[in-house]
Amino acid sequence: MNGKEVHSVNPVAPETDRIRLLIVDDEEGYVNVLANRLEKRHFDVTKAFSGGDAIRAVRGQDFDVAILDLKMEDMDGIEVLKIFNQMGLDMEIIMLTGHGSQEAAREGISIGAFDYLTKPCELHELIRKINQAYRKRKKSE
Amino acid sequence: MIKDKHKKYYQSLTRNMILSAIIVSFTPMLLVICILLHQFRVSYHEKTYAHLSELVQKHKQNIDAFLNEKLANIRFLAINNSFETINNNDFLQEKLFNLRRDYGNLFVDLGVVDENGIQLAYAGPYGLEKADYADAGWFKKARQVDSFISDVFLGLRGYPHFIVAVKQNGSGRGYLIRATIDFMAFNSLVQNLRVGKTGYAFILNREGKFQTNPAMDYQPNHSGYEFFWTAVEKTKNKILITRWKDDAGIENLYAVGSLKSGQWLLIVKQEAADAFSDLKRMLNIAVLIFMIGGVAIIFMAFYTSKRMVKRIRRADKDKENMNQQIIETGKMASIGELAAGIAHEINNPVAIMVEEAGWIGDLLEEEEFGQSNNLEEFNRALVQINTQGKRCKEITHKLLSFARKTDSTLKDVQLNDIVNEIVSLSAQMAKYNKVIIETRLQKTLPYITISPSEMQQVILNLINNALDSMEKTGGTIRISTKISEVEEEHIVVIVEDDGPGIPEANLLRIFDPFFTTKPVGKGTGLGLSICYGIINKMGGKIDVQSVIGEGTRFRIWIPIQK
């Protein structure tokens, strides 16, 4: 479906450049469906199913925004965030948390994450946050 | 039932407190009173005896002096006058007059008696010239010695008197100068001697006859009298003090001293009760004080013990209430943790479902399904999925804010069921911590009557703690149940991990409320203290063993009710 011109009723129109997204979550089903839906909305999506995957992905490619689940089997989202910070990546991060773990989310924000969303979240809300993050990144350039 | 048990406990507590208070107060009081009384009694006896002894000694000397003086008077008369001079009624009359002038009516008469007992000369009121004393007892004795003092006797005149006689030799023959001493005058020497209310003095001769008029009616008991003589002879000149029961059964004190070279006994007799009346009074006062003190002590013991037990009871009740509160607080905390875990687990699949529905929606827009008759129905179903997904989210959120009171009603339960339930609840959380939970449950456990919710809470708490301790490292939690071999009639549940272990200093405080090693805001420090409280309430016990680097083992014993 990539490259195909789509007349869509998306609430948020994509920016001029395709935003490069990295989705990190150990729930493969979630990552896949989210990637499909976001690609359909003209985002350039890369999937990572674990903290390790995510780190490998950022080594090979630049991203504008990463969506990071905070609770994963191999690595805590906060740990991943810290590693990203160490790598000095020019990338905004939106965290996904469960209800009741906002503390971790706040911790993430304190060490440089852009914002967080509680799972499950509305797609349009996620896209709005992605665009906000992207705009912020553009501004800081 | 429990109330009844409590009541009995407090009753026995009260009783024990009263008893110990009474014993502790009474024993020293009793000891002090007894010792003081004994000391007082001993010294009072000594004092009384000393007083009596001194009295007798003094009077003994007085009487001896009196008798010797009278004897000396007569001896003086005998030595200074020849037989011729003295054998004259007028001369005697003059001498008697002089003596009476000096000593009052003490001297009754004077006489000169020859060795045959015939009174040669006489001065006195009875006209006893030529009286024959040859058979008189006193004469027979007086003839043997130089000077003589007779016992009291009635004699020829029929009036009690005694005789003082001195033997002289003159004009080739022996003769006696004798004087009669008035009994009443002599008697007054002794009769005035009174001790206390019942004490009086008298003089006995060898035959046990009164030499004085006793102030009271008294018949000397013969054996007692013999005893006095032998005792006095043994103690020589000392004063003998003894206690003796008379025929009427009254105990008397006797102070005895010898007179007249051991021929008479001066006896002071006093009823023991009278002599020791002060002691008796003292004893009565002591008993009275003891009784008043005793009543006061008993009253105070009852009063203070009841008050204290009342306070203890109130404190216990407060403590129980507080424990209940702490348990409630802890319950909420552990349920909250559990709920957070479940919520997260549910959120993921729900999120996927909702997103997949959204994806279908996206695809429906893209393809040319517009003509499909069922398009509207598809869209309705997708909206419904979305709505229900949101509902799930709400439910998980509610679950997180949910804090129900743990049900503490007792049920007959199989402990293994509870363990399995909790293990399956914790499985997901364990998976995230890379912890494996193994169970080794004895299949033949009997049913026990406990509150399942509370037991769940305990086991959940132990598992959560183990999981927390192995958060970074992962590991294994082993849960086993079996009939205890250490404690009779108990089931033991062992929850052990191979985590980092607990330092010994913390081990001691591990069951203390609000003791926690987690950072502020992460743990309440109530979990284990609640477990402790719950297990205690069940009548069981809980302990912990831990080795740094090897792991921690909690053991819970729960009694099996018959």
Side-chain angles (χ1 to χ4, degrees):
Chain A
M1 66 188 95
N2 282 355
K4 209 172 181 180
E5 213 41 61
V6 184
H7 60 279
S8 89
V9 283
N10 283 344
V12 182
E15 307 281 320
T16 44
D17 297 322
R18 278 169 38 115
I19 298 172
R20 293 164 297 169
L21 276 181
L22 174 65
I23 304 179
V24 189
D25 195 332
D26 59 347
E27 287 285 344
E28 293 188 22
Y30 188 66
V31 175
N32 286 332
V33 70
L34 208 57
N36 286 342
R37 297 194 74 191
L38 287 169
E39 275 171 357
K40 197 169 168 51
R41 285 160 180 79
H42 302 285
F43 289 97
D44 180 3
V45 180
T46 302
K47 297 181 270 191
F49 300 124
S50 68
D53 277 0
I55 290 160
R56 275 189 292 279
V58 294
R59 280 206 187 110
Q61 197 189 331
D62 287 340
F63 294 98
D64 298 312
V65 179
I67 296 162
L68 178 61
D69 186 27
L70 281 188
K71 203 160 184 183
M72 285 181 295
E73 274 189 53
D74 72 327
M75 213 183 277
D76 196 316
I78 294 290
E79 294 298 317
V80 178
L81 188 57
K82 281 178 184 165
I83 292 167
F84 284 178
N85 280 347
Q86 278 169 10
M87 292 167 84
L89 296 177
D90 181 22
M91 177 174 76
E92 294 299 333
I93 290 155
I94 297 167
M95 297 168 291
L96 289 180
T97 72
H99 181 88
S101 43
Q102 281 96 337
E103 268 172 46
R106 276 191 281 275
E107 189 188 344
I109 288 169
S110 74
I111 58 172
F114 174 72
D115 204 348
Y116 75 94
L117 283 170
T118 308
K119 239 165 63 172
C121 60
E122 298 281 338
L123 186 71
H124 63 86
E125 208 178 333
L126 179 62
I127 291 169
R128 199 161 51 95
K129 278 267 183 320
I130 292 168
N131 284 333
Q132 281 174 3
Y134 182 71
R135 274 198 296 275
K136 187 191 170 203
R137 186 173 169 277
K138 283 284 156 201
K139 242 179 243 172
S140 66
E141 260 178 7
Chain B
M1 178 88 180
I2 287 171
K3 255 190 179 168
D4 202 47
K5 206 173 115 194
H6 277 192
K7 205 176 163 190
K8 268 189 189 154
Y9 165 73
Y10 288 117
Q11 272 173 354
S12 83
L13 186 67
T14 314
R15 201 166 47 235
N16 290 345
M17 281 172 77
I18 289 172
L19 271 181
S20 30
I22 287 176
I23 289 168
V24 165
S25 324
F26 258 106
T27 315
M29 188 169 90
L30 202 64
L31 272 176
V32 166
I33 286 185
C34 285
I35 290 169
L36 286 183
L37 270 184
H38 177 73
Q39 289 293 340
F40 183 73
R41 194 181 133 93
V42 167
S43 58
Y44 195 85
H45 273 227
E46 275 170 9
K47 197 192 112 193
T48 307
Y49 286 178
H51 175 67
L52 275 179
S53 170
E54 193 189 322
L55 205 67
V56 169
Q57 184 74 38
K58 207 172 90 191
H59 278 79
K60 176 180 125 128
Q61 281 165 1
N62 275 354
I63 292 163
D64 269 338
F66 172 88
L67 292 173
N68 286 334
E69 191 189 14
K70 303 304 160 266
L71 198 62
N73 283 332
I74 304 305
R75 190 178 287 126
F76 182 80
L77 191 68
I79 290 167
N80 288 322
N81 299 288
S82 66
F83 177 70
E84 285 73 25
T85 320
I86 211 164
N87 189 15
N88 177 311
N89 283 355
D90 292 339
F91 179 79
L92 286 181
Q93 197 66 52
E94 189 196 329
K95 287 295 166 196
L96 181 64
F97 179 76
N98 287 343
L99 285 169
R100 285 190 158 200
R101 191 187 58 206
D102 289 346
Y103 300 108
N105 292 329
L106 232 150
F107 287 92
V108 180
D109 56 11
L110 283 174
V112 177
V113 180
D114 72 5
E115 54 194 338
N116 299 320
I118 307 298
Q119 184 149 266
L120 301 175
Y122 175 78
Y126 295 104
L128 293 173
E129 288 102 345
K130 308 298 173 207
D132 185 357
Y133 291 116
D135 295 326
W138 70 267
F139 178 73
K140 286 177 186 164
K141 283 180 190 156
R143 242 177 22 179
Q144 317 287 323
V145 290
D146 286 343
S147 55
F148 175 73
I149 300 170
S150 78
D151 290 346
V152 175
F153 65 108
L154 292 175
L156 295 171
R157 64 198 73 175
Y159 191 80
H161 63 286
F162 66 93
I163 282 167
V164 178
V166 175
K167 193 168 88 175
Q168 277 299 107
N169 285 309
S171 307
R173 56 177 183 168
Y175 63 93
L176 291 171
I177 316 285
R178 61 158 277 274
T180 306
I181 306 293
D182 179 42
F183 171 75
M184 293 315 288
F186 173 69
N187 194 40
S188 65
L189 277 179
V190 178
Q191 205 166 27
N192 292 339
L193 175 58
R194 300 297 301 268
V195 188
K197 280 179 192 158
T198 59
Y200 58 94
F202 53 86
I203 295 173
L204 289 179
N205 67 1
R206 276 275 174 189
E207 283 79 43
K209 288 190 178 131
F210 282 113
Q211 301 304 301
T212 53
N213 246 350
M216 308 271 165
D217 205 17
Y218 171 65
Q219 277 303 316
N221 171 311
H222 192 70
S223 62
Y225 159 80
E226 283 297 328
F227 168 79
F228 291 153
W229 276 115
T230 46
V232 165
E233 267 161 21
K234 241 183 249 169
T235 53
K236 303 281 184 233
N237 244 345
K238 292 219 177 94
I239 307 301
L240 168 81
I241 296 194
T242 182
R243 291 173 87 144
W244 203 272
K245 253 189 189 156
D246 65 14
D247 295 336
I250 297 165
E251 192 173 32
N252 289 300
L253 274 184
Y254 296 92
V256 185
S258 65
L259 283 176
K260 221 178 88 176
S261 318
Q263 289 171 8
W264 290 357
L265 286 180
L266 172 64
I267 299 174
V268 172
K269 171 182 177 252
Q270 189 183 10
E271 283 181 14
D274 180 37
F276 300 126
S277 63
D278 281 353
L279 188 66
K280 187 87 189 297
R281 202 173 310 127
M282 187 70 196
L283 189 74
N284 287 344
I285 290 171
V287 167
L288 190 71
I289 288 172
F290 182 75
M291 275 164 69
I292 292 171
V295 168
I297 285 170
I298 289 171
F299 174 76
M300 283 311 285
F302 268 85
Y303 178 72
T304 49
S305 299
K306 286 226 161 138
R307 251 180 71 146
M308 276 168 82
V309 168
K310 208 169 150 189
R311 278 193 184 181
I312 290 170
R313 207 171 178 164
R314 202 161 51 217
D316 283 353
K317 209 174 159 188
D318 288 350
K319 200 180 122 201
E320 213 168 287
N321 287 344
M322 205 158 100
N323 276 347
Q324 192 64 37
Q325 277 174 11
I326 290 172
I327 288 174
E328 293 301 334
T329 319
K331 270 176 211 165
M332 288 176 200
S334 49
I335 288 167
E337 270 177 57
L338 179 66
I342 293 169
H344 187 84
E345 297 323 311
I346 290 175
N347 279 343
N348 271 328
V350 168
I352 295 169
M353 272 157 52
V354 170
E355 291 309 324
E356 291 288 2
W359 178 233
I360 293 170
D362 290 350
L363 294 178
L364 282 179
E365 276 170 22
E366 186 183 316
E367 305 287 335
E368 297 302 319
F369 283 111
Q371 297 81 5
S372 170
N373 294 335
N374 290 329
L375 182 62
E376 206 175 309
E377 195 56 23
F378 283 138
N379 280 327
R380 191 203 56 79
L382 289 173
V383 169
Q384 180 68 297
I385 291 173
N386 208 12
T387 310
Q388 296 308 320
K390 277 182 194 157
R391 199 170 148 205
C392 281
K393 184 179 168 179
E394 270 168 36
I395 290 170
T396 57
H397 287 195
K398 262 188 205 161
L399 184 64
L400 290 166
S401 355
F402 179 63
R404 78 195 154 106
K405 281 192 176 177
T406 306
D407 189 4
S408 60
T409 44
L410 302 181
K411 283 178 190 153
D412 283 335
V413 290
Q414 173 59 255
L415 195 60
N416 290 342
D417 295 343
I418 294 175
V419 172
N420 283 328
E421 205 179 322
I422 296 297
V423 167
S424 66
L425 272 175
S426 309
Q428 201 58 43
M429 208 140 92
K431 198 176 136 200
Y432 274 115
N433 287 304
K434 283 200 228 127
V435 172
I436 299 157
I437 302 183
E438 291 176 3
T439 52
R440 195 177 303 152
L441 310 176
Q442 188 176 323
K443 279 180 183 151
T444 52
L445 287 185
Y447 277 80
I448 48 175
T449 311
I450 52 169
S451 155
S453 315
E454 287 181 348
M455 195 65 221
Q456 280 171 355
Q457 197 185 345
V458 170
I459 294 170
L460 182 64
N461 221 312
L462 294 181
I463 291 176
N464 278 344
N465 283 348
L467 286 177
D468 286 347
S469 76
M470 300 188 289
E471 205 171 21
K472 299 241 160 59
T473 55
T476 310
I477 299 175
R478 269 177 297 275
I479 304 176
S480 50
T481 59
K482 60 180 179 184
I483 307 256
S484 173
E485 287 145 21
V486 188
E487 294 277 333
E488 272 185 30
E489 298 292 320
H490 277 71
I491 292 177
V492 63
V493 185
I494 300 170
V495 179
E496 52 191 327
D497 63 51
D498 51 10
I502 302 162
E504 207 177 316
N506 292 346
L507 219 49
L508 293 172
R509 299 178 54 201
I510 198 160
F511 294 114
D512 290 359
F514 304 112
F515 175 76
T516 180
T517 54
K518 292 177 186 169
V520 175
K522 294 277 176 184
T524 55
L526 288 170
L528 282 176
S529 92
I530 288 161
C531 292
Y532 189 83
I534 289 172
I535 297 299
N536 244 352
K537 207 173 83 180
M538 288 176 182
K541 61 178 193 176
I542 180 168
D543 78 354
V544 56
Q545 300 164 318
S546 188
V547 178
I548 294 286
E550 284 187 37
T552 306
R553 171 193 288 156
F554 282 90
R555 294 184 296 179
I556 299 168
W557 288 270
I558 301 156
I560 302 165
Q561 300 87 348
K562 287 253 166 112

